[in-house]
């Protein structure tokens, strides 16, 4: 067994991209996937970093994602609603295609929506709302997943872990961004606990009989719980409605029924909303970005931290010192690169 290794951000990106190219994924998709996975490692978001590669390769091998897909803007993309057909490929290149059009429409209309259809999804959403903040826009992103979470008061998987992210631009500082699963924790966290042989915190999950459990294996076979009880359950349901039913794509139970397993990544849609703060605030007193700073200062003035602060601190460390991967992680990357889809 060799030692831990340090990768520059660029070197890790190249390695991840090469793995997906070896697995037969086209350049458009491999580049976009490598960007989001490398960003996860760079920002110390282990549940959506290189850990996701194996699942993505398994999904390709099972024929549940189209590795040659090239996303396209849909003909119905008019006015404030921009639609991108991911063509059964991964969601990330579809987002990258839609982003400039979304931004242009949000600037001209004050508000615009990007709808992704038929996309295989495994990634964190903060990268998407952060991309909006980088061009002065506020944004919300949400998507269903597959049925792994019991609604509050229920005991069987029905909702997805349905992530919900928000970003607000800040001048000369990292943006205000939060991004969370509407379950108590992301499913990736349960899997990471299982791999590490660690029990789950109380309150994360129930087993297949509906009893509270801290055993990750029993949790994976049972159901996860929503954050904040009925409140998270309602937000997760809203995401099923807006980013599933409303956009004419799959809800989490439908995505699971189509895929037939939770060991691969699901296909469904995604909804991203972009807002131009200056357009909303026009004619009203005060600059919205300055007023937001007053609020952030008051939050931090109480000793609280802003969401994503941990991530931005981790990012600065990665940019300075590189990204440290364990010997086991490096061996796995080497294996993926050498064997391609035969590694999974
Ligand atoms: P976390 O609970 O780890 O973090 C949620 C958010 O809260 C982050 O923005 C985090 O910032 C912030 N935060 C955490 N602690 C504090 C604190 N003490 N004070 C202020 N802010 C805080 O996220 P989850 O485990 O719920 O989700 C992890 C990821 O999983 C998300 O990125 C999500 O998009 C992804 N996901 C993807 C799914 C998919 O289908 N594609 C499904 C479900 C989840 P920070 O990062 O700085 O700690
Ligand atoms: O971590 O819950 C999760 C998740 C599901 C799909 C992608 N990430």
């Amino acid at each position: 067994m060799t030692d831990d290794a340090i990768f520059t951000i660029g070197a890790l990106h190249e390695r991840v991209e090469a793995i997906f190219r070896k697995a037969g994924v086209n350049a458009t998709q491999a580049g976009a996937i490598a960007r989001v996975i490398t960003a996860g490692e760079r920002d110390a978001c282990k549940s959506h970093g290189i850990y996701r590669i194996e699942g993505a390769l398994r999904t390709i091998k099972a024929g549940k994602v189209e590795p040659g897909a090239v996303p396209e803007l849909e003909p119905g993309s008019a006015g404030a609603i921009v639609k991108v057909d991911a063509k059964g490929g991964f969601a990330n290149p579809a987002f990258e295609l839609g982003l400039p059009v979304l931004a242009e429409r949000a600037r001209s209309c004050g508000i615009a929506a990007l709808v992704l259809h038929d996309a295989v999804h495994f990634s964190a959403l903060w990268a998407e709302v952060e991309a909006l903040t980088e061009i002065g826009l506020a944004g919300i992103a949400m998507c269903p997943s597959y049925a792994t979470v019991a609604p509050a008061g229920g005991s069987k998987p029905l909702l997805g872990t349905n992530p919900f992210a928000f970003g607000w631009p800040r001048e000369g500082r990292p943006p205000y961004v939060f991004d969370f699963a509407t379950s108590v924790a992301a499913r990736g966290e349960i899997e990471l606990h299982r791999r590490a042989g660690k029990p789950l915190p109380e309150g994360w999950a129930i087993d297949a009989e509906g009893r509270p459990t801290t055993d990750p294996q029993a949790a994976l076979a049972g159901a996860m719980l929503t954050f904040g009880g009925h409140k998270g359950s309602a937000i997760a349901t809203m995401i099923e409605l807006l980013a599933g039913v409303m956009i004419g794509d799959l809800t989490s139970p439908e995505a699971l029924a189509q895929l037939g397993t939770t060991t691969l990544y699901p296909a469904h849609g995604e909804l991203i909303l972009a807002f131009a703060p200056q357009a909303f605030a026009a004619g009203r007193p005060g600059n919205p970005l300055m007023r937001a700073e007053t609020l952030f200062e008051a939050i931090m003035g109480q000793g609280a931290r802003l969401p994503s602060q941990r991530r931005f601190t981790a990012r600065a460390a990665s940019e300075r010192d590189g990204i440290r991967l364990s010997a086991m992680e490096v061996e796995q990357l080497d294996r993926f690169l050498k064997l391609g889809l035969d590694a999974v």
Side-chain angles (χ1 to χ4, degrees), residues 48 52 122 145 161 186-188:
H48 288 79
R52 290 281 162 186
F122 66 82
S145 180
T161 50
R187 193 164 177 82

Side-chain angles (χ1 to χ4, degrees), residues 40-255:
E41 283 299 325
R42 178 201 64 197
D43 285 14
C45 294
K46 292 300 281 186
S47 70
H48 288 79
I50 58 168
Y51 151 71
R52 290 281 162 186
I53 296 175
E54 186 176 351
L57 295 182
R58 273 194 273 108
T59 309
I60 297 164
K61 189 169 182 174
K64 297 293 186 181
V65 61
E66 177 44 65
V70 178
E72 281 176 12
L73 277 177
E74 292 180 17
S77 287
I81 304 179
V82 181
K83 299 179 188 173
V84 173
D85 184 350
K87 303 265 179 191
F90 290 102
N92 316 89
F95 173 77
E96 289 187 359
L97 176 71
L99 175 64
V101 191
L102 173 69
E104 184 261 307
R105 302 278 171 87
R107 285 203 192 94
S108 61
C109 303
I111 182 169
L114 172 62
V115 170
L116 307 185
H117 283 136
D118 196 13
V120 173
H121 212 296
F122 66 82
S123 47
L125 298 186
W126 50 257
E128 298 180 356
V129 291
E130 218 177 288
L132 288 169
T133 65
E134 280 163 14
I135 46 179
L137 300 170
I140 292 176
M142 64 185 94
C143 66
S145 180
Y146 41 22
T148 52
V149 178
S155 60
K156 298 276 177 253
L158 179 71
L159 304 167
T161 50
N162 302 4
F164 190 68
F166 169 76
W168 178 271
R170 301 181 72 195
E171 279 168 4
R173 302 165 208 236
Y176 178 93
V177 171
F178 70 72
D179 176 19
F180 50 71
T182 45
S183 44
V184 179
R187 193 164 177 82
E189 288 292 343
I190 310 261
E191 177 58 22
L192 289 174
H193 276 75
R194 187 190 68 76
R195 289 186 184 189
K198 290 201 292 197
L200 302 175
E202 306 261 350
W204 279 26
I206 50 180
D207 66 16
E209 276 71 52
R211 295 173 304 220
T213 185
T214 57
D215 174 0
Q217 193 62 52
L220 290 170
M224 298 167 66
L225 297 173
T226 54
F227 86 93
H230 62 283
K231 301 179 186 180
S233 190
I235 294 174
T237 306
M238 175 196 76
I239 294 170
E240 301 286 349
L241 294 173
L242 293 179
V245 172
M246 184 180 82
I247 66 166
D249 216 307
L250 300 181
T251 60
S252 295
E254 290 166 345

Side-chain angles (χ1 to χ4, degrees), residues 176-343:
Y176 178 93
V177 171
F178 70 72
D179 176 19
F180 50 71
T182 45
S183 44
V184 179
R187 193 164 177 82
E189 288 292 343
I190 310 261
E191 177 58 22
L192 289 174
H193 276 75
R194 187 190 68 76
R195 289 186 184 189
K198 290 201 292 197
L200 302 175
E202 306 261 350
W204 279 26
I206 50 180
D207 66 16
E209 276 71 52
R211 295 173 304 220
T213 185
T214 57
D215 174 0
Q217 193 62 52
L220 290 170
M224 298 167 66
L225 297 173
T226 54
F227 86 93
H230 62 283
K231 301 179 186 180
S233 190
I235 294 174
T237 306
M238 175 196 76
I239 294 170
E240 301 286 349
L241 294 173
L242 293 179
V245 172
M246 184 180 82
I247 66 166
D249 216 307
L250 300 181
T251 60
S252 295
E254 290 166 345
L256 180 60
Q258 177 171 287
L259 192 62
T261 174
T262 55
T263 61
L264 305 172
Y265 294 145
H268 48 72
E270 183 179 340
L271 178 64
I272 300 114
L273 305 174
F275 308 87
Q278 305 292 1
F280 278 85
R284 302 292 302 172
N287 173 327
L289 298 193
M290 301 304 290
R291 295 185 62 211
E293 291 308 315
T294 307
L295 186 63
F296 298 144
E297 274 160 29
I299 292 171
M300 290 185 293
Q302 296 192 14
R305 79 156 165 102
L306 296 181
S308 290
Q309 209 171 304
R310 176 200 64 83
R311 231 167 26 75
F312 292 130
T313 303
R315 182 180 302 181
S318 296
E319 284 166 350
R320 190 184 58 236
D321 306 328
I323 300 170
R324 178 180 292 274
L325 297 184
S326 71
M328 212 191 294
E329 288 174 320
V330 177
E331 272 176 27
Q332 195 184 41
L333 292 183
D334 290 345
R335 207 162 53 78
F336 291 154
L337 191 54
K338 187 161 166 232
L339 300 177
L341 295 180
D342 290 337

